[in-house]
Amino acid sequence: MENIRNVVLEAWMTEHGYSSNSLAEAVNKATEQLSGRPGGHDGSSVRGWKSGRVRWPKSLTRAALEDVTGLSAIALGFVPRGRPAPAPVPPQQQEEDPDMKRRTLVGGLAAAAVSTTAPSSTSTRRIGMSDVSRLNERFAGIVVSDHRHGGQLGIEQEAAALAEEALDLQNAGSATQRVRSGLYASAAAFRSSAMWAAIDGRRYEVAKAHMREAQALAELSGDQTIKFRIWSHAGTMYRHLGRPAEALAANDVARNLHLTRRDPLFASLGHARQAATLGLTGDAPAVRHALGCAEDAFVRADSSLARPVWMTGARDGAELETLALAAHLRLGDFARAEAHAHRSLRLLRPQMQRDRAINTARLAYAQLAQGAAEAAAATAMGVPTDAATHHARVSHLLHGFGAALRAAAPGSTTVRAWAEHAATGLRGA
């Protein structure tokens, strides 16, 4: 029997903001409430429901789904064993009762699924590298959005949805192993962007869930560049959480990939991220050594090689300066931090607005720590209002800056000027 895609379930998930992973987690929790034992579903289970590979889940799973959605399994587009898909209800038989209207609509959607998604018995769609290329173009768009806005829930959700789309293609037709690896790499890339958006938005528990799926997909793909990105992001996440041991371990996974021996630019980025984490430990010699290794590798890197779009900041040295800034701030070496901040701001490309806002806020910290309260306040006021109010990390930095400014110069005109600025343009800063 050919698989018939469950467009009804897909429509419900889209309407209610569920990914395959989040629906699986909700069903597992509902299963535990019903039976006393947690369910064992994951994202692949839900993808099986959506693809039609599983047309009628087990009874406990159906009960859990009904608890989560408030709809019966049949209303969700599932078809009992041995029963044909429902036909649409003729218009003259429809009642005005709202529940009847809903049942009619769902039945019609299920019938539409049969007529529009059932594959031909004489041909099978061929999935090719053009499909992978199309996904990669959309991934580039996600990265551009991240550079401009960063940390936004909408970016996270869009990236997660595109990861699901890439995985859905695995079941949409025949493909070579190269194409399948490319689809897994695309799915891992999108999931890593969802992970990064959650980290950037300080939604760390959600980021961990994205990380686990991204790591599994990266292993399926065999793509070392996306493995490097995911483990580097994991290191950054643990650094932001103040857990240096786990951050250093995650960074080591990235730095030990064969890719870093083949391309010095990846080695440079790995060393620089390690330096930023070492700043948490207070080990100044280790920070200087890691940054020295990063600078040496950066000089050796071939600028003519094609690199992933997410390495834009690494290619021109801006990310190296950004990470050096973070490391020296953590060490309390504020003069060096200020120097790296100025260099990073010169190197950042215009579209990298998120990084510019963060580094401007960090520069203000470095200036304040050196006793230049007035200059620091002026720098902090230069952070665009949109970033200051809509980006979680920028807001967090400016909130801390405001507290430090009040402690350093209580009752001063500078503090009053900052208070007025915060009241009019920076909610909570």
Side-chain angles (χ1 to χ4, degrees):
M1 180 182 294
E2 299 286 359
N3 293 342
I4 299 173
R5 193 158 194 83
N6 189 340
V7 295
V8 181
L9 177 64
E10 285 186 312
W12 184 92
M13 289 173 63
T14 299
E15 179 183 354
H16 292 84
Y18 277 90
S19 67
S20 292
N21 280 339
S22 61
L23 181 57
E25 290 175 5
V27 169
N28 287 340
K29 289 178 182 177
T31 300
E32 184 172 17
Q33 291 175 346
L34 289 167
S35 67
R37 299 179 63 184
H41 298 294
D42 57 18
S44 63
S45 306
V46 179
R47 288 189 288 275
W49 302 340
K50 292 193 298 180
S51 69
R53 182 171 52 82
V54 178
R55 299 180 69 202
W56 190 242
K58 294 180 180 179
S59 58
L60 182 58
T61 300
R62 296 198 306 273
L65 271 165
E66 289 172 6
D67 277 2
V68 171
T69 65
L71 298 173
S72 70
I74 291 174
L76 287 169
F78 293 107
V79 181
R81 293 180 181 85
R83 183 183 301 181
V89 179
Q92 63 270 22
Q93 295 180 10
Q94 297 179 12
E95 303 289 341
E96 290 302 313
D97 175 65
D99 288 338
M100 179 64 76
K101 286 185 176 181
R102 177 180 59 77
R103 288 193 295 271
T104 299
L105 173 62
V106 171
L109 281 171
V114 175
S115 63
T116 61
T117 65
S120 166
S121 60
T122 58
S123 64
T124 301
R125 181 184 171 190
R126 182 76 173 174
I127 310 300
M129 287 307 295
S130 60
D131 295 287
V132 177
S133 297
R134 176 180 54 81
L135 288 168
N136 289 341
E137 288 174 5
R138 297 174 77 178
F139 176 64
I142 290 287
V143 173
V144 169
S145 295
D146 171 68
H147 285 162
R148 290 188 181 279
H149 308 294
Q152 303 302 308
L153 182 60
I155 296 174
E156 177 194 338
Q157 292 174 333
E158 183 181 1
L162 287 168
E164 296 291 326
E165 184 175 321
L167 288 175
D168 286 345
L169 279 174
Q170 294 281 7
N171 298 316
S174 62
T176 64
Q177 184 57 46
R178 174 171 173 254
V179 170
R180 296 205 179 279
S181 295
L183 291 174
Y184 281 126
S186 291
F190 285 124
R191 189 62 68 174
S192 72
S193 281
M195 170 191 175
W196 177 246
I199 293 169
D200 214 21
R202 297 175 59 81
R203 300 182 293 276
Y204 296 121
E205 290 305 312
V206 176
K208 291 175 188 176
H210 289 308
M211 176 185 72
R212 288 189 288 270
E213 175 127 352
Q215 288 167 338
L217 292 169
E219 288 301 320
L220 289 170
S221 76
D223 188 313
Q224 291 226 333
T225 61
I226 200 59
K227 288 183 186 180
F228 180 93
R229 188 187 196 212
I230 293 163
W231 282 104
S232 292
H233 283 345
T236 301
M237 178 182 70
Y238 289 123
R239 171 161 58 90
H240 289 329
L241 287 168
R243 292 156 60 176
E246 289 157 291
L248 291 170
N251 287 336
D252 279 341
V253 175
R255 294 191 312 127
N256 289 329
L257 290 168
H258 178 70
L259 172 69
T260 61
R261 295 186 289 278
R262 191 171 70 243
D263 187 341
L265 190 60
F266 283 91
S268 174
L269 185 54
H271 287 306
R273 287 180 170 164
Q274 194 78 328
T277 299
L278 287 166
L280 289 175
T281 69
D283 190 341
V287 168
R288 288 194 291 270
H289 179 263
L291 287 175
C293 291
E295 291 164 2
D296 290 344
F298 181 77
V299 170
R300 290 187 284 107
D302 184 349
S303 60
S304 67
L305 292 178
R307 304 290 188 344
V309 65
W310 50 266
M311 289 193 74
T312 299
R315 283 199 300 265
D316 53 22
E319 189 156 3
L320 176 53
E321 296 295 339
T322 293
L323 292 164
L325 161 60
H328 286 299
L329 271 182
R330 290 288 188 178
L331 287 177
D333 190 343
F334 300 113
R336 280 197 175 92
E338 181 178 3
H340 286 294
H342 286 299
R343 286 199 287 270
S344 74
L345 292 170
R346 285 197 299 270
L347 290 169
L348 283 170
R349 299 186 183 191
Q351 69 267 30
M352 302 185 76
Q353 297 171 9
R354 181 268 317 281
D355 287 357
R356 185 171 297 280
I358 289 174
N359 287 357
T360 301
R362 287 170 169 168
L363 172 59
Y365 263 108
Q367 292 171 327
L368 180 61
Q370 295 175 84
E374 187 175 348
T379 297
M381 289 179 192
V383 175
T385 299
D386 183 64
T389 56
H390 294 103
H391 190 283
R393 283 173 64 200
V394 178
S395 298
H396 181 72
L397 282 168
L398 291 176
H399 180 83
F401 172 80
L405 179 63
R406 289 189 292 273
S412 66
T413 56
T414 301
V415 168
R416 288 195 294 273
W418 173 257
E420 290 176 8
H421 177 72
T424 58
L426 307 177
R427 294 191 299 273

